[in-house]
Amino acid sequence: MNQPTDEKRIHTGELNRRDFLKRVGYASAVALAAGGLGLAFYDWKGPAASEGQKALTGLGDYTPRALASGGAKMAIIRGTDRAAMFAQGVKALGGMESFIQKGDRVLLKVNAAFATPASLGATTHPEVLAAVAGLCFKAGAAQVLVTDNPINNPDSCFEITGLAGAARATGARVIAPRAALFSPVSLPGGKLIQNWPVMAGVFQGVTKVIVVSPVKDHQRAGASMTLKNFYGFLGGRRNVFHQDINGIITELALLLKPTLCVLDGTVSMMTNGPTGGSLSDLKDTGTMVVSTDPVAADAVGVELLGRSLADVPYILMAQAAGAGQADYRLLNPVLLDTRA
Amino acid sequence: MARGKTKVGTTQRLVGYGILALLGLIAVWLLVQQSRFNPAVIVAMRAPQLQGRPQVVSGRALTATAALIPEVSGFTFLAPMESYGPENLSDKIDGKAELYLPAGFKEMSCRSFGLGASGGAHVEVFLYDMGLPQNAYAVFSGQRRPGSPGISLTANAYATANALFFTKGRFYVEIVADRASEALQSFLEAYAAALLANLPSEGETKDGAALFPKEGLALDSVRLSATDAFGLEGLNNMLTGEYSLKGGKATAFVTQRDTPEQAQAEARRYLDFLAANGYQKIETPGLPGDIPVLGLDNSFEMVFVQGRTLAGVHDASSLEAALELAAKLETALRGSREPAHR
C-alpha cells in the first residue's frame, strides 16, 4: 500500500509520525514542567491534624525532649549585661544546642504591648531579644520569628520599642498579627478560653517556642511576667478577661508549653504597671531567669518585685493546674553572677 | 521538506479555545484562592476581629480632648492623634484602665512627638477627661511617685526625671519622655504651659494633704481612693495619708457623706467589715467619747465620726501610733469645716 506524501498529508490535515512524536514530546515537557512546579510548591508535611470545624485545643507542647535528665532546668543570673546574662544562663542549662537544633523554626514571644521606648521598661528589652535570637541562629535555627498581639498598633509597637530593629539586626522576622492568623481555640476543661480567637497561625511550622518577658507591676494582675505574656496570643475583645485576670492567666498557662522562658528582671517596673511612664517606676533589680518552667520563672519575678505569691494569685493557681512549679527552689536553680 | 500551515477544523478550534478558556479560569481561581489562604484554615471558621486598635475616634464627644492637645514649636508629630473612651481605654493602657474606669473616666486623647532639640527624644502626651476634679485628683494621687517633687504648674502637679504629671479641673495630664535631662524638663514644662492654656478654667480640687495634721505626714503619700477603699465595696471617695510617728507607722483616712446619719451608718459598716475579717475590739480606757479601737495581730484600726465626716486610723503598727494619730486627726478636723472630697 502506498503511503501518502507529506504534502498530501498537510493538505488533508493528517499527521505523520514525526509530527505526532514531536507534539507528544512538547505536551509531555509541558506536563512535566507543570508537575515539577507543583512538586516544588508541595507542602509534604501538610497542615496539622484537622478536627474538622472544631476549635483547636491548645497551641502545643514545645518542651525540649533532648534535655539531659537530671540537668538544670533553671538558672538565675545576676548582672547588668543582658546578652552576657542570657549566654551564661543558657550555658548552665546545657547550652543553646540543648534547646535549639539545626533546622528549627523558632518562635520568640515577646511583650511588645505598648508603643513606648525600651527605656520605659514596659516591653521586652531589644537587647535580650537580640541575644536570644542570635544564639538561636548560632545553634542552627533555620528561621527565628518574633511575635506578639500588642495592645497598641502592632507596627508602632515593634518599631518604637526597638524590637523590630533588634529582629532585623539578627535576621529574625517579625510576625505582626493579622486576622488570618487567628483561629478559635477551646481549652479542654477551660471556663474562659472557649471558642476564643487565638493567634494560632504563627505556630504554623514552628518547632520551638521561647517566651521573652520583662518583669512588671500590673494594676490588675499584680504582676506581668512570663505567664501574663501569653495573654498576647489572645485576640478578640480580650479585655473582658480582666474581670477574671487570674483565671485567664491560669488557663493560658495550660495552652502552651514553651521550650524556654527568659524573664528579664535586669530592670523591673516596680509601680504603676503595666504602662509605667516615669523612670522612677523602674528599679535596677539586676536579675535574669532562664527556665524551662514558666511558673517557676514567675515565682522568682515576684520576689524581684518585692511581693509574695499571695500577691499574685495566678502563680499558685497555675501550679495547681499543672503548668509548673511555684516553689522554684525545688528546681535547684543554678545561681550565676556575670559581674563576678 | 517544505511545510505549510496545517488546516484546523472549526470544531477543533472551538474545543481548543474552550480548553484555553478553562485553563485561564482555573488560573484565576487559583490566584484568588491563594490570596485568601489562611495558615490556620484547617480550624478557622471565621476571621475574628483583632483586639481593638488605637484609633482616631470620629465622634464629636470623643474628640473633645483631642482638640485640646496643642501643636508646640519644636515638637514634631510622630503619629496621628489617638482617642479612647471607656469601652476601649484598655486597648491603650491595658490593665491600668482598671484604675481610671471606676474613677469616672470619660475619654482620653494622646499623641506622640519627637523633640529634635533634645536629641530626638520621644515624648507622649496623655490628656484624660475624668468628668470631675475629684476624679482627676483620684487618678493623679493614686499614681503619685513617692519622693517626686511637687511643682508649681498647677495645684496638683509633680515632676519625675523624665515626666510631668498634673491635674487641672477635671483633666489629668501625663507628659512622658523616654529619657531624663534638665534641658528636656524645660521643654516638657513649655509644652505643659501650652496645654494648660487650652484647658478650661474650672474649680480645682483642694490639696488633700491640707486636711491632715502635718506632723509625721508623708506629703506625697496622700491618696484619694475613688472606690472600694481598704477592700470594702462601696467605701468610696476616701482620702488617706501615711504617717511616721513616734509609736510607729499609721494611715489616716477621711471621707464625707451627705448627712451625719449616712456617715454614722458608713462607720458601722466599716466596723462590721473589720470584725468580719477577724479584728477584735480592744479596751482602751480614757478615750474621749466611744471611739472604738480594733486590732488584729500588730495592726490597729480606729473609726470616728464628726458630723458628716467619717475619719479614723488604718493599719497602725502599734496601739500607741493609732491613739496618737487619731487624737491629732480629730483635732485637725475640728479646725477644718469642709473636707475637699465627698
Side-chain angles (χ1 to χ4, degrees):
Chain A
M1 192 169 65
N2 290 334
Q3 294 292 319
T5 64
D6 283 345
E7 193 171 340
K8 283 180 181 174
R9 279 192 290 266
I10 288 166
H11 285 306
T12 57
E14 292 177 36
L15 288 172
N16 62 19
R17 181 181 297 163
R18 184 183 294 170
D19 286 340
F20 172 76
L21 290 174
K22 279 183 179 177
R23 292 190 181 190
V24 167
Y26 293 149
S28 300
V30 170
L32 275 173
L37 200 63
L39 205 62
F41 285 113
Y42 185 67
D43 178 7
W44 291 98
K45 287 184 179 176
S50 171
E51 292 186 81
Q53 292 298 299
K54 290 181 182 174
L56 287 169
T57 55
L59 295 174
D61 182 350
Y62 298 90
T63 48
R65 293 182 181 83
L67 207 59
S69 61
K73 293 179 178 176
M74 175 185 248
I76 301 173
I77 314 102
R78 299 279 298 162
T80 54
D81 180 339
R82 291 179 172 89
M85 292 161 84
F86 177 67
Q88 285 203 19
V90 80
K91 186 179 176 186
L93 302 191
M96 202 60 166
E97 294 73 17
S98 300
F99 302 95
I100 306 298
Q101 282 77 47
K102 192 175 180 184
D104 268 339
R105 193 176 194 216
V106 186
L107 180 68
L108 302 186
K109 171 65 177 75
V110 295
N111 182 336
F114 305 105
T116 55
S119 59
L120 297 180
T123 51
T124 297
H125 200 285
E127 286 175 8
V128 68
L129 169 63
V132 176
L135 283 188
C136 284
F137 279 121
K138 200 173 175 185
Q143 194 173 25
V144 176
L145 308 171
V146 180
T147 197
D148 191 16
N149 179 24
I151 304 295
N152 302 165
N153 178 282
D155 294 336
S156 302
C157 287
F158 280 108
E159 284 299 331
I160 293 173
T161 56
L163 291 167
R168 280 193 294 270
T170 54
R173 181 180 153 211
V174 171
I175 307 280
R178 58 183 192 276
L181 295 176
F182 288 82
S183 302
V185 171
S186 291
L187 181 71
K191 293 178 181 173
L192 302 171
I193 303 177
Q194 287 298 319
N195 205 28
W196 192 268
V198 174
M199 199 161 56
V202 292
F203 288 84
Q204 190 80 6
V206 163
T207 52
K208 299 288 164 54
V209 176
I210 301 179
V211 185
V212 189
S213 318
V215 176
K216 301 196 296 176
D217 167 57
H218 193 281
Q219 172 77 20
R220 191 71 181 179
S224 172
M225 301 174 289
T226 309
L227 295 174
K228 176 65 172 65
N229 195 356
F230 290 10
Y231 206 85
F233 287 121
L234 292 174
R237 298 298 305 176
R238 58 187 172 182
N239 57 345
V240 299
F241 294 130
H242 283 166
Q243 302 310 312
D244 187 1
I245 194 73
N246 293 302
I248 187 67
I249 296 175
T250 302
E251 292 195 8
L252 284 167
L254 300 173
L255 210 58
L256 170 71
K257 292 189 184 303
T259 310
L260 195 63
C261 305
V262 183
L263 184 61
D264 176 21
T266 311
V267 174
S268 299
M269 183 183 288
M270 308 300 286
T271 54
N272 290 303
T275 55
S278 173
L279 294 175
S280 62
D281 294 325
L282 308 179
K283 181 181 176 185
D284 292 334
T285 43
T287 305
M288 182 180 287
V289 183
V290 181
S291 172
T292 56
D293 185 331
V295 179
D298 280 6
V300 179
V302 163
E303 292 185 0
L304 295 179
L305 291 172
R307 294 167 200 178
S308 68
L309 293 179
D311 298 321
V312 188
Y314 63 75
I315 294 179
L316 286 173
M317 289 167 68
Q319 176 185 256
Q325 175 58 255
D327 187 354
Y328 69 87
R329 291 174 183 83
L330 293 178
L331 299 183
N332 296 316
V334 179
L335 304 178
L336 302 164
D337 194 333
T338 59
R339 299 162 302 183
Chain B
M1 186 169 61
R3 301 219 29 198
K5 190 176 179 182
T6 305
K7 280 187 177 177
V8 178
T10 308
T11 309
Q12 286 177 302
R13 183 176 285 113
L14 288 174
V15 169
Y17 287 150
I19 291 171
L20 286 173
L22 183 64
L23 288 171
L25 285 171
I26 290 172
V28 169
W29 179 79
L30 284 172
L31 287 171
V32 169
Q33 288 302 309
Q34 182 176 281
S35 70
R36 292 177 180 170
F37 178 72
N38 180 345
V41 70
I42 48 170
V43 289
M45 293 179 291
R46 62 182 186 277
Q49 287 191 336
L50 296 184
Q51 173 78 358
R53 293 273 169 258
Q55 52 196 284
V56 178
V57 182
S58 58
R60 189 173 59 179
L62 284 182
T63 55
T65 47
L68 298 171
I69 294 181
E71 292 184 28
V72 175
S73 175
F75 288 78
T76 52
F77 298 133
L78 292 180
M81 185 80 72
E82 299 172 13
S83 295
Y84 299 84
E87 73 288 351
N88 66 348
L89 180 63
S90 64
D91 290 354
K92 180 64 181 176
I93 61 172
D94 191 33
K96 202 187 254 187
E98 305 299 326
L99 176 73
Y100 290 86
L101 295 174
F105 170 79
K106 301 296 181 193
E107 64 164 276
M108 180 272 277
S109 291
C110 56
R111 192 154 201 188
S112 296
F113 299 93
L115 189 52
S118 194
H122 179 282
V123 178
E124 194 162 13
V125 178
F126 300 82
L127 176 60
Y128 292 85
D129 181 349
M130 297 301 300
L132 293 168
Q134 57 263 44
N135 295 344
Y137 182 75
V139 295
F140 166 84
S141 63
Q143 300 174 78
R144 174 132 196 176
R145 278 75 179 177
S148 301
I151 53 176
S152 59
L153 210 55
T154 66
N156 300 302
Y158 69 93
T160 64
N162 68 312
L164 302 177
F165 305 89
F166 56 90
T167 68
K168 183 179 181 188
R170 67 181 192 272
F171 297 101
Y172 169 62
V173 181
E174 295 183 344
I175 303 177
V176 176
D178 66 345
R179 62 198 71 180
S181 76
E182 283 186 21
L184 179 64
Q185 200 76 13
S186 63
F187 282 109
L188 299 186
E189 287 177 10
Y191 192 93
L195 175 54
L196 282 168
N198 283 355
L199 300 183
S201 294
E202 296 171 340
E204 288 296 327
T205 299
K206 292 176 190 171
D207 180 10
L211 285 171
F212 293 114
K214 296 286 177 286
E215 191 182 345
L217 173 66
L219 284 172
D220 57 13
S221 73
V222 176
R223 306 262 188 280
L224 175 62
S225 298
T227 58
D228 306 339
F230 309 144
L232 174 57
E233 194 174 344
L235 187 57
N236 300 340
N237 297 319
M238 179 71 82
L239 262 177
T240 58
E242 295 172 12
Y243 283 80
S244 292
L245 304 161
K246 281 181 287 185
K249 293 187 177 298
T251 298
F253 64 85
V254 176
T255 185
Q256 196 176 56
R257 295 296 177 261
D258 290 337
T259 64
E261 292 73 25
Q262 285 180 2
Q264 291 284 357
E266 197 74 324
R268 282 193 296 275
R269 201 166 73 88
Y270 183 51
L271 289 168
D272 290 345
F273 172 75
L274 290 171
N277 282 280
Y279 281 80
Q280 294 189 332
K281 195 165 183 178
I282 295 173
E283 295 303 325
T284 47
L287 271 182
D290 56 351
I291 298 177
V293 182
L294 287 86
L296 176 65
D297 299 330
N298 291 318
S299 177
F300 298 87
E301 302 271 335
M302 293 180 70
V303 182
F304 59 88
V305 173
Q306 282 187 9
R308 296 189 296 134
T309 302
L310 164 65
V313 176
H314 169 68
D315 195 24
S317 60
S318 71
L319 180 59
E320 181 190 359
L323 295 173
E324 180 185 353
L325 182 55
K328 287 180 175 176
L329 181 59
E330 195 176 28
T331 305
L333 289 176
R334 285 191 197 287
S336 169
R337 290 184 178 180
E338 285 290 319
H341 307 281
R342 42 172 310 229

